[in-house]
Amino acid sequence: MDFDRLFQAQLDDLKAEGNYRIFADLERKRDAFPRVTRHGGDGPSEVTVWCSNDYLGMGQHPDVVRAMVETAEICGAGAGGTRNISGTNHHHLLLEEELADLHGKEQALLFSSGYVSNWAALSTLGARLLNAVILSDALNHASMIEGIRHSRAGKVIWRHNDPEDLDRKLAALPADATPIVAFESVYSMDGDIAPIAEIVEVAERHGAMTYIDEVHAVGMYGPRGGGVAEELGLMDRITLIEGTLGKAFGCFGGYITGSAALCDFIRSFASGFIFTTALPPAVAAAARASIRHLKTSDVERRSQKIQVEKLRARLDTLGIPHLPNPSHIIPVMIKDPVKCRQISDILMDAWGVYVQPINYPTVPKGTERLRLTPGPLHSDDDIEHLATALNALWRQCALARQVA
Ligand SMILES: *Cc1c(COP(=O)(O)O)cnc(C)c1O
């Protein structure tokens, strides 16, 4: 049997649709971000990254890198085991304390990634709570969807960011159901933010548990970087807050926070927590340094907001269409997978600007886009260069402008 032919046939379909993914071969340089070395093409070149989730540049922050290096010097490279069997390092416990404090919760629990934390927590809650029904926002992340699916619990999808639809769907559940409302704060592809207060109110009225993914908000929103729920003073009304250490915190790993009983429950029953090697202690120490820094420093958050507003204003002057939203994410809409790829290629090759094209299935077909994430390390000159490049491309490709 020629299995490769089977693989190739499906890959060819992807390519024909323009949805085949090509990864940029990058080498990040400490102290140079958002400048990185790009390999490939005509040899290595320097490009500016405009689509990183290292939103605040914490991946190269001196305190963070120092914590990682020093801890590796002391503890070595790996954790040496699962959390259960010899792998629990003191640095994991310090980090969990830091995270519980960040979200004002009794406890926190670390996972290999944000993806794994959503998958493991939702699948355990859905599988083990009697008559669990998970009410999932229509645009929830793949990791939540996979967790819900794996749980085999009842699943009800409510209209994106629509508390009234959630209300109707909660009201329609049988009386013996255990409802869990799962949603995000900042949605990463459109950059819109959930009406958290209304959702929490509806959930409370129906006695439902609330599960929020704050992956694209932690570090960046709220006075201490606790996320949008912190900014709104709602953290104590949400049952479980999930986040990542890999985006604004600039490191790696995921977590949940909640009551001591909730965390103990997930710790004790989640296969995705139990049967896997713990995070390297050096990574845990680096993440903790990053969280501690962002708890007290507002410089990065303020400067990110300023650069986001500057870029939005420049795009508006040039009539380059982008989705309006209240977050730090600027989706520039192309609405065609092939064009989106081409524009991204030209930006990279001719302008030294790296923006990954976002195509199906990450976003619905026909809504292909360039997702820009300005941060505190993008200079005004970087913004001007990007605006000039996009303006030239809009002319060159005769793309539609948006009149203000
Ligand atoms: C990236 C992402 C995750 C996964 O987090 P990782 O730490 O990258 O695994 C979870 N939820 C959302 C909404 C995400 O965008």
Side-chain angles (χ1 to χ4, degrees), residues 338-403:
V338 178
K339 266 190 201 157
C340 200
R341 170 92 253 162
Q342 279 169 350
I343 291 171
S344 162
D345 286 346
I346 300 171
L347 282 172
M348 182 89 108
D349 296 331
W351 296 87
V353 163
Y354 170 46
V355 199
Q356 185 70 16
I358 309 281
N359 288 357
Y360 178 83
T362 309
V363 295
K365 287 183 181 171
T367 72
E368 291 77 11
R369 65 197 68 186
L370 302 172
R371 175 184 178 270
L372 304 173
T373 55
L377 300 176
H378 290 104
S379 67
D380 291 356
D381 285 349
D382 290 336
I383 291 176
E384 204 41 52
H385 181 71
L386 173 65
T388 306
L390 288 172
N391 192 35
L393 269 169
W394 246 249
R395 197 176 318 119
Q396 189 182 331
C397 304
L399 293 167
R401 309 242 179 191
Q402 190 161 304
V403 268

Side-chain angles (χ1 to χ4, degrees), residues 86-396:
S86 92
T88 294
N89 191 282
H90 190 56
H91 290 282
H92 296 134
L93 301 182
L94 292 174
L95 174 54
E96 286 174 341
E97 254 173 55
E98 200 67 57
L99 287 164
D101 172 78
L102 176 65
H103 294 290
K105 297 291 185 191
E106 287 173 353
Q107 266 179 29
L109 204 59
L110 283 172
F111 292 83
S112 317
S113 71
Y115 186 103
V116 174
S117 67
N118 272 333
W119 181 85
L122 280 168
S123 59
T124 304
L125 290 168
R128 300 200 74 100
L129 294 179
L130 190 65
N131 301 327
V133 178
I134 302 177
L135 296 105
S136 178
D137 182 284
L139 292 191
N140 273 344
H141 188 257
S143 54
M144 299 169 91
I145 296 168
E146 290 298 329
I148 295 166
R149 194 195 334 238
H150 185 75
S151 79
R152 300 186 182 197
K155 171 176 172 175
V156 176
I157 294 171
W158 46 288
R159 221 181 302 143
H160 177 57
N161 279 352
D162 186 346
E164 283 173 21
D165 191 44
L166 173 64
D167 192 21
R168 277 189 296 274
K169 286 182 166 150
L170 277 165
L173 294 180
D176 64 352
T178 306
I180 303 166
V181 174
F183 62 111
E184 301 180 21
S185 57
V186 178
Y187 285 83
S188 81
M189 290 304 147
D190 288 352
D192 54 337
I193 297 181
I196 303 177
E198 288 85 343
I199 291 168
V200 166
E201 212 176 287
V202 168
E204 282 174 350
R205 206 167 342 114
H206 292 276
M209 183 185 295
T210 38
Y211 184 115
I212 193 168
D213 173 321
E214 289 249 43
V215 159
H216 290 279
V218 289
M220 291 172 286
Y221 295 80
R224 297 199 310 158
V228 182
E230 187 201 14
E231 193 166 285
L232 301 174
L234 292 168
M235 291 196 296
D236 61 336
R237 288 170 64 190
I238 296 170
T239 317
L240 184 156
I241 300 175
E242 183 271 347
T244 183
L245 305 169
K247 290 172 182 170
F249 292 126
C251 298
F252 187 72
Y255 65 90
I256 61 162
T257 63
S259 70
L262 167 63
C263 291
D264 203 20
F265 175 79
I266 304 292
R267 185 186 73 90
S268 304
F269 292 116
S271 125
F273 175 80
I274 300 169
F275 298 106
T276 190
T277 299
L279 284 182
V283 171
R288 178 161 176 259
S290 182
I291 295 161
R292 285 171 77 90
H293 178 85
L294 289 174
K295 272 181 182 172
T296 53
S297 169
D298 212 27
V299 182
E300 295 80 6
R301 285 189 279 274
R302 256 185 296 129
S303 148
Q304 178 193 36
K305 286 196 180 77
I306 292 168
Q307 296 314 74
V308 169
E309 282 324 305
K310 276 185 193 158
L311 179 58
R312 275 210 183 102
R314 276 308 275 133
L315 297 179
D316 286 341
T317 339
L318 298 170
I320 296 187
H322 58 99
L323 280 187
N325 67 50
S327 76
H328 58 284
I329 294 160
I330 307 181
V332 169
M333 306 308 286
I334 310 292
K335 302 182 177 177
D336 179 277
V338 178
K339 266 190 201 157
C340 200
R341 170 92 253 162
Q342 279 169 350
I343 291 171
S344 162
D345 286 346
I346 300 171
L347 282 172
M348 182 89 108
D349 296 331
W351 296 87
V353 163
Y354 170 46
V355 199
Q356 185 70 16
I358 309 281
N359 288 357
Y360 178 83
T362 309
V363 295
K365 287 183 181 171
T367 72
E368 291 77 11
R369 65 197 68 186
L370 302 172
R371 175 184 178 270
L372 304 173
T373 55
L377 300 176
H378 290 104
S379 67
D380 291 356
D381 285 349
D382 290 336
I383 291 176
E384 204 41 52
H385 181 71
L386 173 65
T388 306
L390 288 172
N391 192 35
L393 269 169
W394 246 249
R395 197 176 318 119
Q396 189 182 331

